[in-house]
Amino acid sequence: MVKELEIEFRNLLTKEEYDRLVENFRVKEDDFFEQTNYYLDTANFGLKERNSALRIRKIETQYQLTLKTPEARGLMETTQILGDDQATAIISGANIPVGQVRDMLKEIGINHEDLQVFGSLKTIRAEKDYKKGLLVFDKNFYGSISDFDLEYEVSDYDKGKEIFDKLLKEYQITNHPAENKVARFYNHIYGDNK
């Protein structure tokens, strides 16, 4: 189980901006990998109401269960590794296994028995170290659409914001701050009703 503070900046990109960044940062074909996020919530969107999110992420043959809860700056991520059988069972409707994710759900007032998978989002991702942070190039597929975004993951909010803003300006990227993937997924699938 891992608990860490996630601080990241995100910008939506056009396909042309995405292609230009991939070329400028010399991202090669074999740098890309595929991951799929399966999002869970209660029927009445209790996690969303708490500005939190729960996902199972599949990267190749590994599964991670991650609960994201808000902090003053960023999100606290509580993650535990799942076996293939556990992940498949949860996606099929079984309960979250005993552990710190389940404990945190209880702490924020969510009954793990009320959770259900409401959809998935596939990402083709590449990552590059950049100025003491991690630059992430994503192409995302959810519902009937696809989009592109650039993320910058850092440990220092103020320094990270300054570096990210300079990068956007230097590469003439339109400043188009993006919601996180689960929020974009919710909005696309359910509109503003949820």
Side-chain angles (χ1 to χ4, degrees):
M1 198 290 307
V2 176
K3 207 169 188 176
E4 65 183 2
L5 183 64
E6 173 191 74
I7 300 172
E8 65 183 19
F9 301 94
R10 186 179 301 103
N11 198 77
L12 281 177
L13 303 171
T14 64
K15 182 176 187 324
E16 293 73 24
E17 290 170 334
Y18 173 85
D19 289 343
R20 190 166 74 243
L21 285 170
V22 164
E23 183 178 326
N24 282 315
F25 281 88
R26 296 182 177 92
V27 181
K28 299 184 287 303
E29 190 64 38
D30 58 358
D31 291 332
F32 288 94
F33 59 93
E34 183 178 310
Q35 65 185 32
T36 302
N37 291 344
Y38 298 90
Y39 296 114
L40 297 95
D41 207 333
T42 63
N44 64 351
F45 296 95
L47 283 167
K48 184 175 185 289
E49 291 296 315
R50 291 162 177 80
N51 296 312
S52 299
L54 181 63
R55 70 164 188 238
I56 295 173
R57 173 172 284 173
K58 179 184 181 192
I59 304 174
E60 295 177 3
T61 59
Q62 185 186 53
Y63 292 87
Q64 299 171 342
L65 177 66
T66 302
L67 175 65
K68 296 185 177 199
T69 51
E71 292 288 319
R73 283 188 155 177
L75 296 169
M76 182 57 67
E77 290 188 337
T78 305
T79 300
Q80 59 190 83
I81 303 300
L82 297 175
D84 182 52
D85 54 338
Q86 289 176 306
T88 303
I90 295 167
I91 292 166
S92 299
N95 287 332
I96 302 296
V98 172
Q100 283 199 290
V101 169
R102 191 153 133 182
D103 294 345
M104 279 296 298
L105 286 165
K106 184 177 181 183
E107 201 173 297
I108 65 171
I110 296 292
N111 183 342
H112 69 276
E113 294 179 353
D114 295 338
L115 294 168
Q116 59 191 34
V117 174
F118 62 89
S120 64
L121 180 148
K122 182 174 85 170
T123 299
I124 307 299
R125 168 171 285 190
E127 301 172 340
K128 290 282 185 182
D129 290 328
Y130 182 72
K131 298 188 178 183
K132 297 186 180 177
L134 186 68
L135 211 49
V136 181
F137 306 83
D138 283 346
K139 182 175 182 180
N140 308 295
F141 304 88
Y142 52 102
S144 60
I145 66 167
S146 63
D147 67 24
F148 302 88
D149 69 62
L150 180 69
E151 295 179 5
Y152 187 48
E153 299 175 6
V154 294
S155 57
D156 180 300
Y157 182 93
D158 294 321
K159 190 74 175 160
K161 178 158 181 39
E162 179 185 329
I163 291 168
F164 191 63
D165 289 346
K166 281 183 181 175
L167 182 147
L168 295 179
K169 189 173 183 180
E170 179 183 345
Y171 288 95
Q172 300 174 347
I173 303 298
T174 303
N175 188 4
H176 192 160
E179 293 182 294
N180 63 28
K181 288 174 180 57
V182 68
R184 294 192 333 250
F185 176 88
Y186 268 122
N187 290 338
H188 177 70
I189 302 298
Y190 297 105
D192 295 329
N193 300 327
K194 300 292 177 237

